[in-house]
Amino acid sequence: MTSSDSPDNAAETPETPAARTGVAAMDWAAASADPQYRAAVVDLLGALAYGELAAFERLAEDAKLAPTMADKAELAKMASAEFHHFERLWDRLAEIGEEPTHAMEPFVAAYDGFHKQTAPSDWLEGLVKAYVGDSIASDFYREVAARLDSDTRALVLAVLDDTGHGGFAVEKVRAAIDADPRVGGRLALWARRLMGEALSQSQRVVADRDALSTMLVGGVADGFDLAEVGRMFSRITEAHTKRMAALGLAA
């Protein structure tokens, strides 16, 4: 995933480490004794793993649209980082006794559908898609990570580390707008479309998986209640607005 840890570019999580209780204060060995929690984590890791694999594939495709050799090399490096994240998730699923491909399978349709509906028409749309779409997904997973056991939380946060795409996208998009201000309006409309599609995808993934949805609305240990789910999506929307400003686009 391509996301930044800075306050301007990521939704703030609802807890600090000092406030962690329940499952969030446990390690995997203790927390996974609850079969429903274990199922939720397997779903989460499966969704993340396929998301990282899809990000790798997309960045590799975006590199073909890059206008310079230097840009192609930069995107190839980012794609490599995404694949490394994918490998870590694959290895973790295998380590806890789960078949990685089986864990990823339920999320293939949602991810592939999103990417099919939001195929960029050019280099700049591809940059905005990776910056905006992936960052929204990363914010969502960071929110969930606050309620995970310490071992799983550390892994999730590690694979959400910025691959460098955020700063790269901001630099290139701002330069394009400076060169031709008309580009800004088109990309702003594109980013708004991405926002809607990304939020819809996140909601569909949660709704389709009972263990994940139960964890979010409060059925597993320290899960969110319904009001907190609403506040979570508000924080994600606010972070999106900040990212749009960083790109020089209107939210």
Side-chain angles (χ1 to χ4, degrees), residues 42-154:
V42 170
D43 273 352
L44 181 66
L45 297 183
L48 267 171
Y50 193 71
E52 294 292 346
L53 183 59
F56 159 73
E57 292 176 331
R58 190 193 62 247
L59 283 170
E61 285 296 313
D62 288 349
K64 298 177 183 178
L65 301 173
T68 70
M69 188 66 70
D71 291 336
K72 289 180 184 290
E74 192 66 25
L75 286 182
K77 182 171 67 175
M78 295 172 195
S80 177
E82 298 287 10
F83 192 76
H84 178 62
H85 291 165
F86 163 72
E87 289 179 313
R88 291 190 63 178
L89 291 159
W90 176 285
D91 291 345
R92 179 56 176 167
L93 283 163
E95 182 183 344
I96 63 175
E98 300 292 334
E99 168 53 50
T101 55
H102 180 74
M104 290 189 292
E105 186 61 37
F107 308 101
V108 171
Y111 273 105
D112 288 358
F114 171 75
H115 289 305
K116 183 177 181 180
Q117 293 169 21
T118 58
S121 62
D122 61 20
W123 156 251
L124 290 174
E125 286 190 2
L127 288 178
V128 172
K129 178 180 176 178
Y131 180 60
V132 172
D134 283 1
S135 294
I136 291 169
S138 292
D139 286 347
F140 171 74
Y141 288 123
R142 286 178 189 278
E143 292 276 356
V144 176
R147 298 302 197 272
L148 299 173
D149 67 273
S150 60
D151 296 320
T152 304
R153 182 171 60 249

Side-chain angles (χ1 to χ4, degrees), residues 164-214:
H165 199 286
F168 181 78
V170 169
E171 176 189 349
K172 298 298 181 180
V173 170
R174 278 190 170 275
I177 294 173
D178 288 343
D180 182 0
R182 293 173 298 178
V183 170
R186 173 172 67 86
L187 294 180
L189 289 173
W190 172 244
R192 284 195 284 273
R193 179 185 168 193
L194 291 169
M195 173 68 173
E197 292 287 350
L199 287 179
S200 295
Q201 179 208 34
S202 297
Q203 292 166 343
R204 283 196 301 270
V205 166
V206 172
D208 290 345
R209 304 301 294 174
D210 289 343
L212 271 181
S213 60
T214 301

Side-chain angles (χ1 to χ4, degrees), residues 14 143 147 216 223-233 235:
E143 292 276 356
R147 298 302 197 272
L216 281 174
F224 298 106
D225 58 25
L226 286 172
E228 178 56 24
V229 171
R231 289 190 290 271
M232 175 185 72
F233 281 108
R235 288 191 292 270

Side-chain angles (χ1 to χ4, degrees), residues 220-250:
V220 174
D222 301 321
F224 298 106
D225 58 25
L226 286 172
E228 178 56 24
V229 171
R231 289 190 290 271
M232 175 185 72
F233 281 108
S234 292
R235 288 191 292 270
I236 292 173
T237 301
E238 290 169 8
H240 168 72
T241 300
K242 292 179 181 179
R243 289 192 187 95
M244 291 286 282
L247 286 170
L249 302 176

